[in-house]
Amino acid sequence: MDVTIARAPALPSELAATLAALRRRRRFAVDRLLRAKVAALCAYLAASRVGGCVVGVSGGVDSAVTLGLLRQVADAPGSPLRRLVAVLAPVFSADGATNQDVALRRGRAVAEAFAAEIVEADLSASQAAVKEAVDRGFG
């Protein structure tokens, strides 16, 4: 599955050259690494009898890469992975959570791009309850 999502700005030329040199020296090939990771995850899921994965998707790069990798696993021939669920869990609060609307939009875009089921769980009330308990505990 080919997915196009907004690309990050290009690396500075010196850093890009250093990275390319390291990859050549180590004989690093992204496609080979991806195939190996997909095969290892397929084997693990089969041995564990796991047919579904749930990924908390924040709209950031880590969860996007994880979801993308698991989509590759699900699409691999013979894969035991039949269900891929993206959980979007915003916290709409003035206390400690910012840009949740942006993160929610990005997370939804990533989940849709990788054809994952989407579950949205607004954690605002839970966060408020935890904050209240902690505040009480500290006086």
Side-chain angles (χ1 to χ4, degrees):
M1 163 184 280
D2 290 326
V3 175
T4 302
I5 295 179
R7 296 177 83 47
L11 291 174
S13 59
E14 185 177 316
L15 183 56
T18 301
L19 181 59
L22 283 170
R23 285 179 171 172
R24 278 192 305 276
R25 187 171 50 208
R26 294 178 181 173
R27 294 184 180 93
F28 178 81
V30 173
D31 57 332
R32 188 177 65 223
L33 176 68
L34 182 59
R35 282 193 307 272
K37 288 206 177 285
V38 167
L41 283 166
C42 282
Y44 173 80
L45 293 171
S48 302
R49 303 176 112 186
V50 173
C53 289
V54 177
V55 179
V57 178
S58 66
V61 68
D62 295 340
S63 59
V65 168
T66 301
L67 197 64
L69 179 59
L70 288 170
R71 171 47 55 205
Q72 292 288 317
V73 170
D75 291 347
S79 172
L81 187 56
R82 300 285 176 250
R83 193 166 181 201
L84 184 55
V85 179
V87 176
L88 309 175
V91 175
F92 295 103
S93 166
D95 295 319
T98 59
N99 298 318
Q100 294 296 287
D101 54 338
V102 173
L104 191 57
R105 271 196 316 275
R106 286 181 181 165
R108 182 170 274 106
V110 167
E112 289 171 355
F114 291 119
E117 294 176 47
I118 298 173
V119 173
E120 187 175 329
D122 185 338
L123 298 181
S124 301
S126 299
Q127 189 268 352
V130 170
K131 182 184 182 310
E132 182 180 324
V134 170
D135 289 348
R136 268 196 321 271
F138 281 103

